[in-house]
Amino acid sequence: MAEFAVIGAGLAGISLAHQLIEAGHTCVVFEKSRGLGGRLATRRLEHWQADHGAQYFTASSAAFQAEVGRWLQRGWVKPWAVTPWRLTREQLSPSPDKRERFVGTPNMNAMVHGLAEGIPLYRQTRIDRLEADGDRWRLWDEHGEHYGRFDAVILTAPLAQSQALLPAEVIGAAELDSQNMTPTWAVAIAFAETTGIEADAVFVKDGIVGWAARDSAKPDRPQQHETWVMHFTAQWSANHLDASPELLQQQVVEVLERLTNATLPEIHQSFSHRWLYAQATTLEPIQQWHPASRIGLAGDWTQGNRIEAAWISAHRLATILLDEFA
C-alpha cells in the first residue's frame, strides 16, 4: 500500500484520489481554497446562484460516458437540454447541434463533492514547497508547516501553479514551458424581472464577450431571479486583467441588449470573477508520470482544456500508478 499526496481538489485531483483509495492505497488531498471543484464553480448569493466557471460539459470517450452515467444515477449531474444560438454582427439565430450537454446539480461541483466523500482533505492549505526525504516526499505549506512523508506527489493545480512546485531535476518538466493557459473574466447578473430574451445560451462570434447563458434555465436551479452568466474572450481578458466591475457590467449589458428588442429590467445584483488560468492553449498531451522523481501531473491542461480532459487525465494517471505501486 502506497501513500500519495494530491495537490488540488478539482475534478482531476478528487477523481484521482477516489480511484487510488478505492484500490486500497492511502491518499491525502491539499487544496489552497475553501471550496472544492476549481473551475467547476457555483457562487450562492441571497435568493440566487450562478455557475461562473465551467458552464457545462460533454462526454465523448466511452470511459467518460460510463463515468457520467454513474454520476447521473447518483443525481450529481443532469442533462441540460439547451439549443445554443449564434450571435454575429448580422444576425441572431439558433445553432442546433447533436451534442448532449450536462451540468452538475444543484451546483456545478456536485460530482466533485460526491467523489470527495471519505477522502482526507486539507482545505485552505497552500503547499509551496516539495522536499525530498530519502525516497519519499515531504510537503511544506506557506506557513512553514510540513506534511508527509509520501511515496509520490501528484500535482493537479493549473499549469503555472504546478510548474512552481516542480523540482528542477524532474525529468520532462521542460516540456511544460511550451504550455500556456489563458485568462477569462466572468460576470453574473441577476435581474429583478424576466428579460424576455428567447435564447438560453449564445455563442457570441464578434466583440469581446464570447459566451452568454441564462444560468437560471439550467436544471435544478431554483431561484427567485433570472440570472445570466457571460464569459469574456481570452484576448480581451488578458489585456484587461484589472478591469473594473463597472466596465465589465457595462460590456455584458450591451451584449444582452442585442439579444432582446425590449429594455432590460433593473439589475438586482451582480458579481464578476477573474479566472487567471481558464483554458490551456497547447493541446498536446504531456508526460504525466515521472518515475525517477515519483511526481505525477494531472488536470485538464495535461490532456486538453475541457472537463472531460480533467477526468481522463486522472483516469490515465491512476492506471499508471496502480501498476507502478502494485
Side-chain angles (χ1 to χ4, degrees):
M1 182 178 72
E3 297 184 48
F4 296 96
V6 173
I7 299 176
L11 178 61
I14 294 298
S15 296
L16 179 61
H18 179 81
Q19 293 180 61
L20 294 174
I21 289 173
E22 277 203 326
H25 295 286
T26 298
C27 193
V28 180
V29 178
F30 299 86
E31 169 57 45
K32 65 180 178 61
S33 303
R34 180 177 58 184
L36 309 181
R39 282 161 284 160
L40 282 166
T42 301
R43 185 178 300 181
R44 292 184 177 183
L45 295 94
E46 186 177 1
H47 304 307
W48 69 289
Q49 66 180 50
D51 303 331
H52 56 295
Q55 295 293 284
Y56 62 83
F57 65 91
T58 58
S60 300
S61 65
F64 190 54
Q65 288 173 355
E67 180 70 5
V68 172
R70 289 186 283 270
W71 296 351
L72 286 165
Q73 291 177 350
R74 290 168 170 81
W76 297 342
V77 303
K78 283 188 177 180
W80 182 24
V82 62
T83 297
W85 289 50
R86 178 186 175 96
L87 177 64
T88 65
R89 294 187 183 279
E90 291 76 28
Q91 65 177 350
L92 170 67
S93 58
S95 181
D97 58 42
K98 297 182 180 180
R99 302 177 71 185
E100 187 174 20
R101 295 171 172 84
F102 301 90
V103 296
T105 53
N107 307 311
M108 278 301 293
N109 57 12
M111 75 290 282
V112 179
H113 280 274
L115 292 171
E117 186 173 349
I119 295 177
L121 178 65
Y122 286 88
R123 303 176 190 242
Q124 295 181 289
T125 303
R126 184 188 295 271
I127 300 299
D128 66 2
R129 182 163 62 93
L130 308 182
E131 178 189 28
D133 186 0
D135 60 352
R136 308 183 88 187
W137 287 104
R138 190 184 302 274
L139 279 56
W140 294 81
D141 69 17
E142 59 185 335
H143 303 296
E145 296 291 333
H146 63 83
Y147 309 84
R149 306 155 66 234
F150 298 98
D151 294 297
V153 178
I154 314 301
L155 308 178
T156 73
L159 171 62
Q161 296 167 352
S162 292
Q163 277 184 296
L165 285 172
L166 277 175
E169 67 272 14
V170 173
I171 299 173
E175 71 179 307
L176 300 185
D177 292 338
S178 63
Q179 304 280 335
N180 187 37
M181 296 189 76
T182 58
T184 295
W185 271 110
V187 175
I189 294 180
F191 288 98
E193 299 176 4
T194 58
T195 63
I197 297 173
E198 183 176 356
D200 282 333
V202 180
F203 292 109
V204 184
K205 297 302 180 180
D206 66 282
I208 63 177
V209 173
W211 167 263
R214 192 189 336 258
D215 199 76
S216 49
K218 295 176 180 177
D220 289 359
R221 298 301 196 275
Q223 44 195 334
Q224 296 182 9
H225 299 278
E226 180 177 330
T227 64
W228 282 81
V229 171
M230 284 137 288
H231 285 178
F232 285 77
T233 64
Q235 181 176 353
W236 191 90
S237 298
N239 292 333
H240 299 81
L241 291 178
D242 298 318
S244 67
E246 293 76 18
L247 174 62
L248 295 167
Q249 181 171 301
Q250 173 191 342
Q251 296 298 327
V252 299
V253 165
E254 290 180 4
V255 172
L256 292 176
E257 287 176 340
R258 294 172 60 190
L259 301 179
T260 178
N261 295 323
T263 303
L264 288 174
E266 177 184 353
I267 294 176
H268 166 71
Q269 199 173 11
S270 67
F271 70 84
S272 57
H273 183 90
R274 184 184 68 185
W275 296 102
L276 195 56
Y277 307 111
Q279 283 198 323
T281 57
T282 305
L283 304 183
E284 291 296 325
I286 68 166
Q287 180 182 349
Q288 288 190 257
W289 174 241
H290 304 276
S293 60
R294 305 173 316 285
I295 290 180
L297 299 168
D300 58 347
W301 56 271
T302 69
Q303 301 294 322
N305 63 5
R306 299 184 180 276
I307 291 173
E308 180 169 4
W311 185 87
I312 289 292
S313 75
H315 182 64
R316 289 178 176 173
L317 184 54
T319 301
I320 295 171
L321 294 175
L322 292 180
D323 181 64
E324 183 88 4
F325 292 91

